[in-house]
Amino acid sequence: MANILCIGAGYVGGPTMAMIAKHCPEHRITVVDVSAKRIEQWNSENLPIYEPGLLEVVQEVRGRNMFFSTEIALGIEEADMIFVSINTPTKTYGEGAGRGTDLQYWEQVARAILSNSKKKNVIVVEKSTLPVRAAAAMARILHSESNGVHFEVISNPEFLAEGTAIKDLTEPDRVLIGGRSNESGHKACKTLADLYAHWVPREKILLANVWSSELSKLFANAMLAQRISSINSITALCEKTGADISEVSHAIGMDKRIGPHFLQASVGFGGSCFRKDILHLAYLCEHYGLPEVAEYWDSVVSMNDYQINRFFKNILTSQFSTLANKKMAILGFAFKPDTGDTRDTPALPICRKLLEERASISISDPQALDNARFELEGVEGEIHYEQDPYLACQGAHSLLLITHWQEFRQLDYQRIFDSMAKPAFIFDGRNFLDHQHLFEIGFNVFPLGKPALSHLQ
Ligand code: UDX
Ligand code: UDX
């Protein structure tokens, strides 16, 4: 039996450790966090994050072999293996501001591990997405003074996506483990691989060198985001030429070499990872004297900003270039469905722009209203939050679909149309609704990358 600790009880640390606890009942798993509130929530029925299926797993393992605590030093003292799952935000100050990763908390954690570890051998697992060579830097800190502990730092990036975390953890496409190519490195990687092998087929557990592992994580996110920016760039061309993005996406996705995933046109990608990791990848390239490579990846982010802006401009121009005193219903504020997470959601810049035009906004989202309130705190203008989407749409001039929650497809759009100001507009930022049906009801429908269906001349 081993004592496994995870520092950071967030979207990654919580679900990942719950899954390990479920499948490895012989080990004791403790998750610690600096936030007492978060830990309190993990210890309640009201978990700090919304993730389908998570509560059931937590209820199964909590108090059995999984524990949530704020006692970081004690946790480190007892640990044989320490996962570091803290957030690694973009730096907002000094050198690399707006691009590089802010590593101050990560370094503090490394120092806390150094001063509190007591076991003879401790494996430190880098779970957070970090700059390439971060594991080596962590090892340097851990070996900066001798406390009799042998530390081995390995990289094990997490590929789960929010909203499908339990499914992704249960059946991962692969588990990637990077370590040093010496005996101690191999041994640490094997210990971690054995843990995953409780439920993941061995052939899906990949071993790599530590830098390949770190870079694969950054690059996987960059590639996924690049596909979205590529399809979104073509929505603009479709709108000019009369081509239909859904037909184009379907046609290219049937090519086995391209594949059908991540070709869904959208108002723009969001979430805590894509923008941050691409900016960081570009910054790393610059740092290593590769400005052309940096520029290439930067363009994925600029295309995303362009798409968000284009969506907003379409709303403005199709409504006679004025939004002042018009009510805009926003359906969905989370960055994707099945999560309450609003980090880097495209809904935020869109709401800000609408408010700058002096529109009033009324936001409805099944899980993200608290976070929406937090994101829009202090922003000037008339903002309403409605759990009930029908109330959000009442009297509105336009309806903006930003997040494709399943329940938004099931709404009674005739009822919504009847309650709205006329002419009534729908801007579908996900090509999610039945456009022909909406048009027949009387809406002016503006999809992405396909002709608008308008009753106006
Ligand atoms: C994850 C990954 O770990 C990160 O690398 C990735 O780039 C973004 O997603 P996530 O789990 O989503 O991070 O972050 P978050 O939900 O913010 O959780 C991080 C937790 O770490 C927070 O609860 C925070 O309180 C905690 N933390 C942070 C500590 O306990 N100690 C610290 O020093 C810093
Ligand atoms: C992503 C990666 O998928 C995951 O492997 C990594 O561990 C963390 O970052 P996440 O951000 O949780 O996961 O969600 P994801 O499903 O990748 O969606 C990211 C954004 O892209 C969302 O805003 C989503 O709506 C958008 N998206 C996704 C599209 O616009 N079109 C698509 O075809 C797919």
Side-chain angles (χ1 to χ4, degrees), residues 12 129 158-164 168 174 217 220-221 224-225 228 231-232 260-274 277 304 334-337 341 344-346 402 404 430:
V12 170
T129 306
E158 184 48 62
F159 294 99
L160 69 80
E162 286 175 36
T164 53
D168 297 342
R174 78 313 209 176
K217 172 65 196 190
N221 277 347
L224 290 169
I228 303 168
I231 200 84
N232 283 346
H261 303 293
F262 269 69
L263 289 179
Q264 177 59 49
S266 66
V267 49
F269 59 72
S272 70
C273 295
F274 282 179
D277 290 348
N304 200 51
F335 81 98
K336 64 185 278 197
D341 195 351
D344 203 33
T345 175
I402 306 291
H404 47 302
R430 301 282 179 171

Side-chain angles (χ1 to χ4, degrees), residues 7-13 32-35 38 85-88 105 109 128-129 272-273 276 343:
I7 305 180
Y11 285 89
V12 170
V32 292
D33 201 289
V34 285
S35 162
R38 271 219 160 172
S85 248
I86 62 167
N87 47 333
T88 45
Y105 304 110
V109 166
S128 307
T129 306
S272 70
C273 295
K276 167 177 76 74
R343 290 179 288 181

Side-chain angles (χ1 to χ4, degrees), residues 19-175:
M19 192 55 67
I20 294 180
K22 177 182 160 81
H23 291 285
C24 308
E26 73 276 27
H27 298 308
R28 184 190 161 89
I29 321 281
T30 308
V31 182
V32 292
D33 201 289
V34 285
S35 162
K37 184 167 170 238
R38 271 219 160 172
I39 292 300
E40 196 182 303
Q41 289 173 314
W42 279 111
N43 279 322
S44 75
E45 297 308 286
N46 193 8
L47 302 186
I49 60 176
Y50 173 74
E51 190 61 61
L54 176 62
L55 182 62
E56 288 78 356
V57 181
V58 171
Q59 281 171 333
E60 181 186 337
V61 295
R62 199 170 48 195
R64 180 188 81 181
N65 65 328
M66 183 173 198
F67 305 89
F68 294 94
S69 154
T70 48
E71 296 197 57
I72 300 177
L74 179 67
I76 295 173
E77 229 174 80
E78 295 173 342
D80 303 290
M81 184 183 269
I82 303 175
F83 286 82
V84 181
S85 248
I86 62 167
N87 47 333
T88 45
T90 305
K91 208 172 166 197
T92 52
Y93 52 88
E95 189 74 17
R99 295 171 74 72
T101 306
D102 189 343
L103 290 172
Q104 60 169 318
Y105 304 110
W106 178 85
E107 179 170 346
Q108 281 166 21
V109 166
R111 291 188 188 284
I113 294 175
L114 176 62
S115 28
N116 294 294
S117 281
K118 290 271 161 59
K119 295 285 176 92
K120 196 157 161 265
N121 290 296
V122 175
I123 299 174
V124 178
V125 185
E126 193 182 74
K127 207 40 155 158
S128 307
T129 306
L130 283 161
V132 181
R133 307 193 81 92
M138 169 79 84
R140 272 206 304 281
I141 297 171
L142 294 177
H143 294 132
S144 60
E145 356 173 321
S146 168
N147 60 354
V149 180
H150 172 77
F151 292 103
E152 190 61 39
V153 183
I154 59 181
S155 157
N156 171 224
E158 184 48 62
F159 294 99
L160 69 80
E162 286 175 36
T164 53
I166 296 302
K167 185 174 155 286
D168 297 342
L169 287 165
T170 305
E171 287 176 13
D173 287 346
R174 78 313 209 176
V175 166

